[in-house]
Amino acid sequence: MQRTLGIIKPDAFAAGHAGPILARITAEGFRIVGLKKLTLSAEQAGAFYHVHRGKGFFDDLTGFMSSGPCVVMALEATEAISGWRRLMGATNPADAAPGSLRQEFGTSLGRNAVHGSDADDTAAFEIGFFFSGLELL
Ligand code: UDP
Ligand code: MG
């Protein structure tokens, strides 16, 4: 079993898509190990997305991610990291496969509904960013 960090981003949460996305996650066979709703500060969003600091979209990304509530999730499955990224779809909703969450709920590259870790080391960092060990038992 493997774990990954997923986020229902502020655009999807505000549009009322958290319920359908959670239902889809369960239907696709992920176990929801950790779950919380929170609103990040811009500084916290910047710490989470530290690998993107200095890029042209960083301020827009951190501003957006701190613009309202989101739902953070620790998800468990076999091959959870690649499986969750496949369920999310491509970063740009315009390129996301039919049936993927970004195709269904994303509206632009910067407003793409969901986040997912991209590798073992980033999944470990991102899960630890939001959850303590006790919250993942
Ligand atoms: N992003 C953006 N403009 C870009 C690239 C990325 O606004 O040119 C945003 C987009 O919302 C993306 C996030 O920054 O989800 C993180 O980018 P990354 O390349 O890590 O994509 P992801 O892993 O989310 O698919
Ligand atoms: Mg990424």
Side-chain angles (χ1 to χ4, degrees):
M1 281 295 180
Q2 187 181 54
R3 290 178 179 182
T4 191
L5 190 280
I7 304 179
I8 300 171
K9 293 186 177 184
D11 57 333
F13 186 86
H17 299 319
I21 290 171
L22 286 165
R24 188 74 191 283
I25 286 167
T26 303
E28 296 287 341
F30 293 90
R31 186 166 81 91
I32 299 171
V33 180
L35 184 76
K36 57 179 84 171
K37 165 180 166 283
L38 50 83
T39 302
L40 292 168
S41 68
E43 185 181 7
Q44 290 167 341
F48 178 76
Y49 278 115
H50 68 94
V51 296
H52 294 306
R53 194 176 295 279
K55 296 180 185 172
F57 60 86
F58 182 77
D59 287 348
D60 180 62
L61 175 62
T62 56
F64 162 62
M65 289 300 290
S66 59
S67 66
C70 57
V71 175
V72 299
M73 311 168 287
L75 304 175
E76 186 175 81
T78 56
E79 305 292 341
I81 295 171
S82 61
W84 172 237
R85 289 198 68 90
R86 187 163 54 248
L87 179 55
M88 287 199 301
T91 304
N92 189 340
D95 303 326
S100 67
L101 295 172
R102 282 169 163 170
Q103 188 269 331
E104 186 170 358
F105 299 115
T107 53
S108 70
L109 177 57
R111 305 285 185 273
N112 58 0
V114 283
H115 165 85
S117 311
D118 63 4
D120 279 315
D121 57 340
T122 52
F125 165 76
E126 293 179 358
I127 290 170
F129 190 88
F130 287 112
F131 295 99
S132 72
L134 267 180
E135 292 173 311
L136 299 171
L137 290 176

